[in-house]
Amino acid sequence: MKHRFRVIVVLLLTGCFILPGCGGDKTKIKQTEGPAQIKAIPFDGAFNPEGGRVTEGITLTAKAAERIGIETIKIKETLAGQGPLRKVIPYASVLYDPNGQTWVYTVRKPLIYLREPITIDSIEDEMAILSKGPEVGTTIVTIGIAMLYGVECGIGQ
């Protein structure tokens, strides 16, 4: 009886570790229903250092954006002492992916968000100084980036 119980426990534990890995890569989930959707976005000159067209973004309903508490700000330029103008964003708006790459979510149109790559030159106080990224004046998300990334990765489906 004890032996059978041990076998059952081992099988259940094995299933707990194996089954979560069966989902495959969730970073390119296409969500087509509900308050948050992954949809094609027409190319509009968005920053894309690798060339090509930026084609997918997250579309939220107004209620979903309200529930997430999305807040935004425009990318600014600032003088670095006697140096050149530099792009500056709040450090809170920076997203690090599992590979350590840095991103921001830009607002393409109301309720349409696109994850775009950035390169951080330095961090001063609570601001990130960019060496590469979207143009000055581009609206980026400052609050709600973790939720947007979750939508993009299929978390909560």
Side-chain angles (χ1 to χ4, degrees):
M1 184 72 158
K2 280 186 172 182
H3 180 66
R4 186 180 301 182
F5 178 74
R6 286 183 188 160
V7 169
I8 291 172
V9 169
V10 168
L11 289 174
L12 287 174
L13 288 174
T14 303
C16 289
F17 292 110
I18 292 174
L19 288 177
C22 294
D25 181 16
K26 294 194 180 232
T27 57
K28 294 292 182 183
I29 298 268
K30 293 252 190 199
Q31 187 172 344
T32 57
E33 294 181 12
Q37 301 174 11
I38 307 285
K39 289 185 174 179
I41 296 175
F43 181 70
D44 63 355
F47 171 73
N48 187 353
E50 295 159 14
R53 296 180 176 261
V54 178
T55 57
E56 290 185 348
I58 300 166
T59 301
L60 299 180
T61 63
K63 189 69 169 174
E66 179 185 332
R67 286 182 178 165
I68 290 173
I70 298 278
E71 290 187 21
T72 63
I73 194 169
K74 291 187 183 281
I75 296 176
K76 298 177 184 174
E77 272 187 324
T78 187
L79 282 174
Q82 299 282 1
L85 289 172
R86 304 181 307 174
K87 294 182 204 176
V88 177
I89 62 172
Y91 185 62
S93 62
V94 176
L95 170 72
Y96 287 88
D97 73 11
N99 299 319
Q101 294 179 328
T102 50
W103 306 84
V104 292
Y105 277 98
T106 60
V107 180
R108 287 289 143 215
K109 292 182 181 175
L111 304 175
I112 298 176
Y113 307 92
L114 181 66
R115 182 168 50 105
E116 298 191 48
I118 60 171
T119 301
I120 297 175
D121 184 47
S122 63
I123 299 169
E124 296 176 12
D125 297 322
E126 295 184 21
M127 302 302 281
I129 290 82
L130 305 183
S131 57
K132 291 183 183 174
E135 296 300 317
V136 171
T138 301
T139 303
I140 61 170
V141 176
T142 56
I143 296 179
I145 61 172
M147 297 297 283
L148 291 172
Y149 190 65
V151 168
E152 198 173 347
C153 293
I155 295 172
Q157 289 187 358

